[in-house]
Amino acid sequence: MSKEDENQKKNREHYEKLYANYNIRNILSWINNLDAFLASATTTDTSWFAMYQRNFRKRIKGKRVLEMGCGDCVNAAVMAALGAEVFANDIAAASGEIVKKLNASYDFKYPIVFVEGDFLKNKLPSASFDFVVGKAFLHHLTLPVEKLFLKETARLLTSEGEARFFEPAVNSQILDALRWHIPVKGRPSKFHRTAFNKWKENDPHPDRTFSSKHFEKAGREFFKEVETIPVGTLERFSRFMQGGKTRNKYRRWALNFEKQLPSSWNKPLTRSQLILYKNPK
Ligand SMILES: C[S@@+](CC[C@H](N)C(=O)[O-])C[C@H]1O[C@@H](n2cnc3c(N)ncnc32)[C@H](O)[C@@H]1O
C-alpha cells in the first residue's frame, strides 16, 4: 500500500471510531443559542477565533461553503445555522451520519449536503463555491495529497472566492523539539520512548511540515493572494492555568493582545495559524 493510501486508511479508521454513535445534543444546544455560542467560542478558542476572523460570520450568509474534513460537523452546523449553503466532506462515513441527524433535527434554510467518500474522486462543478474551509484538516494529509486538495480548492472556488484553513503552526525548531517532550493528554512525552512510539503507530497525523512558509509556498502555486495569520502565540500559555473562568479571561486577553505583536515575534512563536488563499490562478 502506498504511503498516501496508508495515511488515508489510518485517518478513516481513527475517525470512524471517534465519531461512531455521536450524540448531536451539544451541537443542537449551540446552534439553538448561536449568538451566545459564537460570542464565547470566537473569543476564547483558537480555532473559532481564527476561522471567524474578518467578519466571516456575516460574509457566509446565503453563500455556498465547502468544508473539508468536517469531522464532528460542529462548524458545518454553525455555518448552516448562520444561513450558509454548506457542503461537507470527510473521509469518515460517520460524519455523514452526523449530518443526517442534524438535518433531521434542525430546520436549516439549506440542509447540509454531505459529500461522501474520497473528495478528490468526487468531481464537483468548477467555480461553484464562495468559500472552501477546513479546520485542523490539511495537516492530516501527506504533502502530495495536500497539493491535490489545494489544486481542487482553486478549481472549485469562484474568482472572488476565498479558502480559509485553520492549522497548527510549527515555525521554530526549538519550540517543536520542546513540544514533543512535554506530555499532553493522550500523548506521552518523547522522553518515554516506548510509550511514545506506541502512540505514534496509531496517530493519524503524517510526518510533515506545518510551517507557515510551507503553507505560503504551497498556496502560491494555485492562488495569487496568500496570507498566514498567526494565532496562539500568547494564548498557548493558557494550558498551564487552572480554572475555566480565569483561563478564558486570559485567553480573551491573549488572543486580542498578541495581534499587536510584531510579526518577527508572532510568526516564530505562534502555535497555530489561519491560512487565507484568494484569487485562484
Ligand atoms: C482533526 S480532525 C478535525 C475535524 C473538524 N474539522 C474539527 O475541527 O473538529 C481531522 C478530520 O479530517 C478528516 N480527514 C483526514 N483525511 C481526510 C481526507 N483525505 N479526506 C477527507 N477528510 C479527511 C478526518 O476524518 C477528521 O475528521
Side-chain angles (χ1 to χ4, degrees):
M1 200 187 279
S2 74
K3 231 191 203 173
E4 277 59 47
D5 287 347
E6 214 173 283
N7 177 62
Q8 215 172 59
K9 182 169 177 274
K10 214 176 188 185
N11 267 278
R12 187 185 292 112
E13 286 172 1
H14 180 90
Y15 286 102
E16 289 292 15
K17 245 190 249 160
L18 192 69
Y19 306 134
N21 306 314
Y22 189 89
N23 190 333
I24 62 163
R25 199 182 47 216
N26 280 343
I27 306 185
L28 290 178
S29 135
W30 295 329
I31 57 180
N32 280 315
N33 299 283
L34 207 48
D35 286 338
F37 171 73
L38 283 172
S40 168
T42 61
T43 53
T44 60
D45 178 284
T46 45
S47 71
W48 289 89
F49 176 86
M51 186 57 82
Y52 281 73
Q53 274 186 49
R54 302 197 182 169
N55 218 12
F56 183 66
R57 174 182 179 158
K58 293 232 166 79
R59 288 170 61 212
I60 59 173
K61 193 169 177 195
K63 301 289 184 192
R64 255 193 175 192
V65 185
L66 168 70
E67 177 155 22
M68 293 170 165
C70 60
D72 57 14
C73 304
V74 180
N75 188 45
V78 167
M79 293 190 300
L82 286 170
E85 194 181 345
V86 177
F87 285 61
N89 169 257
D90 200 285
I91 196 76
S95 298
E97 294 306 309
I98 300 176
V99 167
K100 262 189 219 156
K101 288 187 208 165
L102 285 168
N103 285 339
S105 316
Y106 190 93
D107 189 19
F108 294 113
K109 181 165 184 211
Y110 306 101
I112 303 167
V113 178
F114 186 67
V115 182
E116 177 104 43
D118 184 345
F119 185 72
L120 296 170
K121 293 186 182 140
N122 245 301
K123 285 278 169 217
L124 294 168
S126 298
S128 53
F129 287 93
D130 302 294
F131 291 92
V132 172
V133 305
K135 232 156 144 272
F137 165 65
L138 289 177
H139 73 287
H140 281 263
L141 308 177
T142 60
L143 293 180
V145 174
E146 178 187 81
K147 190 171 172 173
L148 298 175
F149 266 90
L150 295 186
K151 190 175 175 195
E152 188 63 354
T153 300
R155 188 186 70 81
L156 290 173
L157 279 173
T158 63
S159 54
E160 267 87 56
E162 178 179 308
R164 16 180 90 199
F165 296 103
F166 170 77
E167 294 296 329
V170 175
N171 293 335
S172 147
Q173 305 270 4
I174 301 169
L175 275 185
D176 192 34
L178 211 69
R179 174 174 78 103
W180 290 113
H181 288 85
I182 300 172
V184 292
K185 201 171 163 223
R187 196 256 293 148
S189 153
K190 241 184 173 176
F191 284 124
H192 301 283
R193 210 188 299 170
T194 316
F196 182 84
N197 288 343
K198 190 155 182 246
W199 167 82
K200 189 84 189 103
E201 265 171 38
N202 296 313
D203 179 42
H205 301 92
D207 277 329
R208 49 157 292 172
T209 173
F210 314 146
S211 77
S212 304
K213 264 197 192 133
H214 159 74
F215 285 117
E216 286 159 11
K217 188 166 172 236
R220 265 187 236 113
E221 201 169 337
F222 305 108
F223 297 89
K224 288 187 208 126
E225 278 179 67
V226 169
E227 189 181 358
T228 56
I229 304 168
V231 182
T233 300
L234 297 175
E235 183 280 344
R236 70 191 313 153
F237 298 108
S238 69
R239 74 180 58 182
F240 301 113
M241 288 178 179
Q242 302 274 320
K245 265 195 182 162
T246 315
R247 195 164 45 216
N248 277 348
K249 199 171 163 196
Y250 172 76
R251 282 179 174 155
R252 261 192 289 274
W253 172 83
L255 287 168
N256 266 319
F257 187 80
E258 65 186 37
K259 283 197 272 188
Q260 299 161 43
L261 293 174
S263 165
S264 55
W265 289 22
N266 224 351
K267 276 242 162 118
L269 298 177
T270 192
R271 87 173 170 100
S272 48
Q273 58 196 319
L274 177 69
I275 300 152
L276 291 176
Y277 295 145
K278 292 186 225 171
N279 225 330
K281 281 183 177 172

